[in-house]
Amino acid sequence: MRLLTHNMLSSNIKGVTNGFPLRIEAEKVVEKQVDLNIDFLKNMFPKIEWKALVSASRTMGYAELPEEVEPSKLDSEEFLRKFHHALLELHLEEGALVCPETGRRFPVSKGIPNMLLHEDEV
Amino acid sequence: MKLKHLESLLGRLQQFSNPKVELEQYPTGPHIASRMLYTAENSFGDVSDKVVADFGCGCGTLGVAAALLGAEHVIGIDVDPESLELASLNAEELELDIDYIHCNIKNLGLRAEVVDTVVMNPPFGTKKKGADMDFLSVALKVASQAVYSLHKTSTRNHVKRAALQHLNASSAEVICELRYDLPQMYMFHKKREVDIAVDLWRFVPQSRI
Ligand SMILES: C[S@@+](CC[C@H](N)C(=O)[O-])C[C@H]1O[C@@H](n2cnc3c(N)ncnc32)[C@H](O)[C@@H]1O
C-alpha cells in the first residue's frame, strides 16, 4: 500500500469521530520505482494532508519531507522528487494501521490492509 | 492504446475460480471492461493521470484496465480476500502497481476529494436487493469527477431517479447498452448462460465546493 492510499484512508468504526490519520506500524517496507509525473504532483499537492504524509513517511523510514511547505516549493524539482518518493514509491508491505481514537489494529499483509469491521463496530 | 489491444490484454486475466454466489462474483468480461474504460478515457478524459478506484474489484479487470490506460494511482476494493489475492496476481502479471484494500464498501472510510474517478461493476442486486445502489451511494461520495457503473437495463428509470434525487449526482447518463453474460446460477432460467441487457452509466457528483 502506497502512502497516497494511506493519506485518504480512515477508521470508520461506529462512534469514532476522528479516525484519521491511521497510525502506521511498519514491519516491512518496500520501494517500487515510479516515473516522475510533475503535473500529477502539482495537482495532487493541495489535496494532500501534509502532516499525515510527513509522519507516515517517517514511520516508514524516510525523513526527507519538510514539516512545512510554502507553495513556492512546487517549483523545485528536488522537493517534487521527495514528495513523489514518499507518496508513490514507498509501500507498506507488512504491519498494521491503527485507529487513532480507539487503538483498534487493522493488519496489513502482502500490502493489503484489512479494514473489515466486526459486527459490533458498524 | 487501441481498444483491441486493451481488450486482448484483459483477456489474459484470470477469472474467479470458485465464485461466491452470495457476493455476486461474476467477472466483468474483457469486452465490456475495455469499452467502459476506453470510453472513460477517450470521450471524457477521466482515466490517464488520474486517481481511480475500482469498487468490488473482484478479479481486478476494471482497475487493471485503468492502469493500462495511464491512471497514476489505482485502488481496488473488495470484501472477499480471495478475490483480492487473484486481483493482485493479475496486476503483477501485467507489471502494474495497484493498491488493494480489503473492506466492505458500505463501511469504507475513504476521504472525498482525492479519488477522481470510480469505476465499478457492482453486484446487480439479484442476491441482495439494493446492493448496486449501496455501491453507487458510496461511489458518489468518494469520486470528485465521475462514476462509471453497470446496472441492469430493466432498472434504468429507478437508477436515474435515485441518483439524481437521493445520491448527490448532478448528472446521470446512459452511455450505451451492452450484453452481459450472467452465469445461470444468478437466473431462474435453465440455460447455462443468460445474456442480459446492462447499461453503462456515467454519473457526475455534485461539486462539494
Ligand atoms: C460483479 S463482481 C465484479 C467483478 C469485477 N469487476 C471483475 O472484474 O471481476 C462484484 C464484486 O463485488 C464484491 N462485493 C460484493 N459485495 C461487496 C461489498 N459489500 N463490499 C465490497 N465488495 C463487495 C464481490 O466480492 C465481487 O468481487
Side-chain angles (χ1 to χ4, degrees), chain A residues 1-9 20-22 24 52 56 97:
Chain A
M1 186 197 62
R2 293 173 173 176
L3 292 187
L4 174 51
T5 298
H6 170 263
N7 206 266
M8 44 183 137
L9 203 56
F20 182 89
L22 293 156
I24 294 178
L97 302 174

Side-chain angles (χ1 to χ4, degrees), chain A residues 2 5 7-8 10 37 115, chain B residues 72-73 97 99 102 109 111:
Chain A
R2 293 173 173 176
T5 298
N7 206 266
M8 44 183 137
S10 62
N37 181 342
M115 304 302 293
Chain B
E72 182 76 22
H73 183 66
D97 188 9
D99 273 1
H102 184 187
R111 177 156 85 76

Side-chain angles (χ1 to χ4, degrees), chain B residues 184-202:
Chain B
Q184 67 112 94
M185 56 204 162
Y186 295 98
M187 306 292 284
F188 302 102
H189 300 243
K190 291 254 159 59
K191 277 189 281 177
R192 225 180 72 74
E193 267 185 352
V194 193
D195 128 319
I196 58 161
V198 297
D199 292 333
L200 168 56
W201 287 85
R202 180 175 190 266

Side-chain angles (χ1 to χ4, degrees), chain B residues 23-26 28 56-59 61 78-79 103-105 121:
Chain B
L23 293 174
E24 299 198 41
Q25 293 185 334
Y26 28 84
T28 315
C57 63
C59 336
T61 324
D78 206 287
V79 74
C103 191
N104 186 327
I105 290 294
N121 174 187

